[in-house]
Amino acid sequence: MSVLLQIVMAVATATAMSTDAVQDDGELGWPREFMHAGHLVVMYQPQLESFEGDRLTGRSAVSVIPEGKSEPIFGAVWFEAFVETDRENRLVTIISVSVPRVRFPNITDEQATEFSAVLEFEVSTWDMVVSLDRILTGLELAERERLASENLSTDPPTILFAEEPSILVTMDGEAVLHEIEDTGLQRVVNTPFVIAFDPEGAAYYLYAGDEVWFSAADVMGPWAPSQRTPDRVASLIPPDTVQPDPEAAAEAEEIDFDIEDLRIIVATEPTELIVFDGRPEFASIDGTDLLYVANTESDVFMNIESQGYFIVVAGRWYTSGSLEGPWSFTASDSLPEDFARIPPESARGGVLAYVAGTDEAIDAVLDTEIPQTAAITRDATIEVEYDGEPQFEPIEGTSLEYAVNTEYSVIRADSKYYACYEAVWYESDSASGTYTVAVEIPAEIKDIPPDSPVYSTRYVFIYDYTPETVYTGYTPGYTGSYVYHTTVVYGTGYYYYPWISPYYYYPRPVTYGFRVHYNPWYGWSFGFGFSYGPFHFGFYSRPPYWGHPRGYWGPAGYRHGYHRGYHRGYGSGYRAGYRAGYRSAQRQPNIYNRQANTSRNVDRATARAQMSQRSGARTQAGARPDAARTQAGGQNRAAPGRENNLYTDRDGDVYRRNQDGSWQQRDSDGWRQADRSAVQGQAQDQTRQQPTTRQQPTTRSTTPNRSGNMSRESQNRQRGTQRTQSYQRSRGATRSGGGRRRG
């Protein structure tokens, strides 16, 4: 084997190995360099091309300085990798790597093929991890099928405003009462709030936290603090279920507030409540003709030019000429241009995630395409229970049916039954009883429309399987995060009728009423129209204390990320906005790692070995000449004093970005000024990608195939570093206690 082939093998090995260089502070040392057989090999930060479920592809620019030489040889390496994603810790583990293509001077096709086989054998034993945020920013916005998101509902909910401390209590239609065993009391079951009815006193009681109850003669109000709550009512919430919040108690001491002043608003239809601290107080946003209402924790704006109001509800923009309405939907790419000019560090910088074309919006959209993955043992089973005999209704636009009288998402296809539970698909030959882990699902599931209550199941995928293991994953659509045109929204916007019988209540996912807010590190979190110190109107979902409100928020469950004081935090600025929302938002959980689900998971070492086998990464030992082995042994390191400024396009041409912002391209005679179209990625005709036959969504680059957009690549690389650093700082803030998100 030629010396050049040995060098190329070393280069490609570095490409694969370099992804394990995520340091404790979140910094990747780029470029990477190592010595092999006397040659200095330098690998520059990989540029990613696609992320399809559990498969990642990309390319990397490299240079080799042969022994005794001073002039480097430049080339490019393409790779494909099977990965395991951990969204919770924002890491991606590279399980196995293949190298379908290399481009170096004077290397033959036979040499490239031989080198690829050797490399694939080598990397099967390596443990490689990369920051998810570097991957997100390395992927360009892709051309995707938008049919499903186009059909999300943007009809405005009922929008209410209050100028006094208020809280919105939502009910799923008119109040439905069920008996509470051995108490003589009844409970309102079609609400996530704790509302009891005492027939003896003909009064309703609403739990407000810290052993405080409100009472009313009518469930619709008016409500007032209960002066004498019956013991049988107070005992519904055992003291050991109430988790004290020291920060809330400290906050309560600083707030001049009388619980008697609290107004409770009950709604029986989709409603959103926006609370002002008195009359609206407007403040300006530097560099724009926008005003925002400073004395509220909601996002309320006025456009000075049009004198129109703009608000954000569940990621959707609504506008009106008056706060009294009527409100109409406005697409994020139709907003006045000043919204894109809102400084990220400003008091309302957090809304940039909902403004089309901003970096924050691009990052949020990309995040919806990244799956959380796991390896599930095929021995896992679940038992599906119904309220009576199973009842099914058709899913419009498909031949499928779904079960209406169970808390599970059960779909009937012909004579087979599929249950999606905790982001894993199960199957059975009968509707009731035991379900086993499925290895495939009907293709029609991807056609389930958003107006179906089981719409979220189309975002759970089966990638592959072995006799022992199923490789599965889910994207944020499973937990309610969707892309509408060019920005993220929460929920489908549709109202789904619940299942209510004399004995059971199964709620369906909701979009409005809980002040959801997007955070780049933790997804969507929920809040209330009002929270004061210990009075947080908590939800208690564990039997026997109170029903099953979990279904309101889909598979993700309730995330109490907003336990915020009403009178504090207005205009907190950068600390409370897009970059620092992690300070109070609880981490979005990895469903696969929930304690109740861990018994299904295959341990990582076993999954890695099985995945390596399925990807064909292991070849026969005789296919790899001993002389070609790369001597890793920790020799791969960050290259001191070298700039991370080399890029390669899809044809393997190498480019360099200079400190003055100019670009050069490498050819046989050295560096020359780069062609502008290659650097800036000027618009060219493109052929729409045919829909993938795989079940998972696809993130593909839309740049032309013949050249790269080097300027955009450079910006993405910088943003990837910033996002990784920000996330690592957020972890530090979380570990040290941090503070709450305000504003």
Side-chain angles (χ1 to χ4, degrees):
M1 181 177 294
S2 68
V3 174
L4 179 58
L5 176 56
Q6 296 181 40
I7 296 174
V8 173
M9 289 176 55
V11 171
T13 301
T15 303
M17 291 184 60
S18 63
T19 54
D20 71 349
V22 180
Q23 302 170 1
D24 292 339
D25 60 1
E27 279 296 302
L28 276 176
W30 294 106
R32 309 295 298 174
E33 71 173 28
F34 66 96
M35 296 296 298
H36 173 76
H39 308 291
L40 178 62
V41 180
V42 180
M43 197 279 295
Y44 292 82
Q45 185 171 339
Q47 297 159 243
L48 305 180
E49 296 179 353
S50 70
F51 197 168
E52 302 181 21
D54 62 347
R55 185 169 297 174
L56 181 69
T57 67
R59 65 191 187 278
S60 180
V62 293
S63 68
V64 178
I65 301 179
E67 184 178 15
K69 304 290 186 180
S70 59
E71 188 69 18
I73 301 170
F74 291 89
V77 175
W78 283 258
F79 62 88
E80 296 178 356
F82 283 106
V83 301
E84 176 184 290
T85 51
D86 182 352
R87 291 173 55 88
E88 183 175 3
N89 293 306
R90 304 198 69 79
L91 296 174
V92 175
T93 300
I94 310 298
I95 302 298
S96 63
V97 175
S98 61
V99 180
R101 181 185 177 197
V102 296
R103 184 184 180 193
F104 268 84
N106 302 321
I107 185 172
T108 67
D109 291 342
E110 291 76 14
Q111 289 173 326
T113 300
E114 184 179 358
F115 134 75
S116 297
V118 175
L119 172 63
E120 290 164 7
F121 183 91
E122 286 286 348
V123 300
S124 63
T125 59
W126 295 337
D127 187 14
M128 299 168 287
V129 181
V130 66
S131 163
L132 174 58
D133 289 294
R134 290 192 182 276
I135 288 179
L136 287 177
T137 53
L139 295 167
E140 296 188 8
L141 287 175
E143 187 174 13
R144 305 175 182 92
E145 291 183 290
R146 296 294 189 187
L147 180 59
S149 64
E150 291 286 347
N151 292 329
L152 296 179
S153 175
T154 58
D155 295 340
T158 298
I159 298 174
L160 303 177
F161 293 86
E163 296 180 359
E164 65 277 348
S166 304
I167 185 171
L168 179 68
V169 173
T170 60
M171 291 196 307
D172 214 348
E174 300 297 323
V176 177
L177 294 172
H178 282 180
E179 298 290 334
I180 304 176
E181 292 184 8
D182 303 324
T183 65
L185 302 173
Q186 296 174 313
R187 61 189 175 114
V188 179
V189 297
N190 56 328
T191 177
F193 293 83
V194 177
I195 304 178
F197 178 67
D198 182 5
E200 183 177 319
Y204 290 88
Y205 293 89
L206 168 67
Y207 184 63
D210 199 36
E211 301 182 6
V212 173
W213 293 79
F214 279 66
S215 62
D218 189 291
V219 72
M220 299 301 293
W223 292 84
S226 176
Q227 302 301 317
R228 181 177 297 179
T229 304
D231 290 341
R232 61 182 177 277
V233 173
S235 63
L236 292 174
I237 306 296
D240 62 355
T241 68
V242 180
Q243 300 297 322
D245 187 339
E247 188 175 351
E251 180 181 84
E253 295 178 359
E254 300 179 17
I255 300 176
D256 182 15
F257 173 78
D258 190 341
I259 195 69
E260 299 282 346
D261 296 332
L262 178 61
R263 178 188 175 196
I264 295 175
I265 301 172
V266 179
T268 59
E269 60 183 17
T271 302
E272 199 76 25
L273 175 65
I274 294 175
V275 182
F276 300 134
D277 185 10
R279 298 285 296 172
E281 298 175 2
F282 291 90
S284 62
I285 299 179
D286 291 344
T288 74
D289 286 333
L290 299 175
L291 302 177
Y292 72 95
V293 179
N295 58 333
T296 179
E297 293 181 338
S298 299
D299 295 312
V300 182
F301 300 86
M302 173 181 278
N303 182 9
I304 296 176
E305 181 178 355
S306 68
Q307 292 294 291
Y309 289 92
F310 292 81
I311 62 174
V312 182
V313 178
R316 297 159 171 85
W317 288 95
Y318 296 96
T319 184
S320 174
S322 167
L323 290 179
E324 284 72 35
W327 295 90
S328 60
F329 172 75
T330 297
S332 61
D333 54 1
S334 298
L335 293 168
E337 293 181 358
D338 274 353
F339 279 95
R341 300 189 182 105
I342 295 176
E345 68 276 7
S346 70
R348 290 296 180 262
V351 302
L352 290 172
Y354 318 124
V355 179
T358 64
D359 284 346
E360 292 80 358
I362 291 172
D363 288 344
V365 169
L366 286 173
D367 194 59
T368 66
E369 301 292 340
I370 305 302
Q372 182 74 64
T373 59
I376 305 297
T377 175
R378 293 182 63 175
D379 294 335
T381 61
I382 59 171
E383 301 287 331
V384 176
E385 298 179 352
Y386 300 82
D387 179 17
E389 291 297 316
Q391 298 183 32
F392 287 83
E393 292 185 0
I395 299 176
E396 187 176 352
T398 74
S399 64
L400 307 173
E401 297 176 309
Y402 77 98
V404 296
N405 59 333
T406 178
E407 63 180 333
Y408 292 83
S409 295
V410 179
I411 295 173
R412 179 163 61 189
D414 296 326
S415 59
K416 196 80 170 180
Y417 299 86
Y418 300 87
C420 186
Y421 178 71
E422 296 290 283
V424 173
W425 281 104
Y426 299 81
E427 64 182 1
S428 176
D429 291 329
S430 63
S432 303
T434 301
Y435 282 65
T436 59
V437 175
V439 297
E440 61 180 0
I441 56 176
E444 266 196 301
I445 285 177
K446 71 177 185 301
D447 297 325
I448 296 176
D451 59 3
S452 169
V454 293
Y455 172 69
S456 65
T457 63
R458 61 179 288 164
Y459 296 94
V460 177
F461 313 104
I462 298 172
Y463 301 124
D464 211 335
Y465 61 93
T466 69
E468 300 85 17
T469 303
V470 173
Y471 300 93
T472 186
Y474 68 93
T475 56
Y478 184 57
T479 57
S481 183
Y482 307 111
V483 176
Y484 187 79
H485 290 285
T486 56
T487 52
V488 293
V489 297
Y490 178 80
T492 66
Y494 289 99
Y495 175 77
Y496 306 118
Y497 289 95
W499 173 265
I500 303 179
S501 75
Y503 304 102
Y504 291 92
Y505 167 63
Y506 299 134
R508 309 303 184 196
V510 299
T511 298
Y512 304 109
F514 301 97
R515 300 184 62 200
V516 294
H517 181 88
Y518 181 81
N519 177 271
W521 313 128
Y522 307 105
W524 298 90
S525 56
F526 300 83
F528 299 95
F530 172 82
S531 176
Y532 161 68
F535 307 117
H536 58 274
F537 295 82
F539 304 152
Y540 294 86
S541 60
R542 293 180 300 161
Y545 307 138
W546 217 252
H548 300 270
R550 176 174 173 268
Y552 279 93
W553 303 283
Y558 171 60
R559 302 303 297 165
H560 194 176
Y562 258 172
H563 189 196
R564 303 189 295 178
Y566 172 73
H567 287 272
R568 297 182 59 196
Y570 305 128
S572 297
Y574 187 78
R575 299 187 312 279
Y578 169 74
R579 296 296 182 186
Y582 55 76
R583 293 187 182 274
S584 72
Q586 293 188 18
R587 185 174 304 228
Q588 193 71 12
N590 178 350
I591 293 175
Y592 297 124
N593 288 342
R594 289 176 177 170
Q595 185 173 0
N597 294 334
T598 55
S599 62
R600 309 180 307 182
N601 298 343
V602 176
D603 68 89
R604 177 168 292 185
T606 301
R608 180 177 296 113
Q610 294 176 353
M611 181 130 19
S612 295
Q613 293 175 4
R614 73 159 173 140
S615 67
R618 290 193 179 277
T619 60
Q620 295 182 355
R624 179 195 56 174
D626 291 340
R629 300 195 62 171
T630 301
Q631 301 174 3
Q635 296 178 26
N636 175 14
R637 60 170 186 155
R642 294 185 185 273
E643 293 186 55
N644 186 30
N645 63 343
L646 258 62
Y647 303 80
T648 179
D649 65 16
R650 284 173 169 73
D651 291 332
D653 294 320
V654 177
Y655 296 83
R656 179 172 69 186
R657 187 181 189 277
N658 301 315
Q659 291 185 355
D660 62 2
S662 63
W663 287 86
Q664 294 177 305
Q665 181 177 351
R666 184 74 179 190
D667 60 21
S668 58
D669 296 325
W671 294 102
R672 62 174 176 82
Q673 183 176 353
D675 180 69
R676 183 175 179 180
S677 64
V679 172
Q680 297 185 352
Q682 295 177 345
Q684 302 177 39
D685 291 337
Q686 300 175 41
T687 301
R688 179 179 292 270
Q689 296 275 0
Q690 294 299 316
T692 177
T693 57
R694 304 183 71 199
Q695 295 177 14
Q696 67 275 13
T698 302
T699 300
R700 291 189 178 90
S701 173
T702 59
T703 49
N705 202 35
R706 71 167 182 83
S707 65
N709 184 340
M710 298 300 108
S711 295
R712 185 63 180 174
E713 293 276 8
S714 179
Q715 295 169 11
N716 285 344
R717 186 172 290 184
Q718 294 175 25
R719 288 200 301 119
T721 298
Q722 293 169 359
R723 281 177 58 90
T724 301
Q725 292 173 342
S726 296
Y727 174 67
Q728 292 295 330
R729 286 196 297 268
S730 79
R731 293 184 65 193
T734 302
R735 287 193 294 265
S736 62
R740 293 187 183 181
R741 182 191 184 279
R742 307 288 185 186

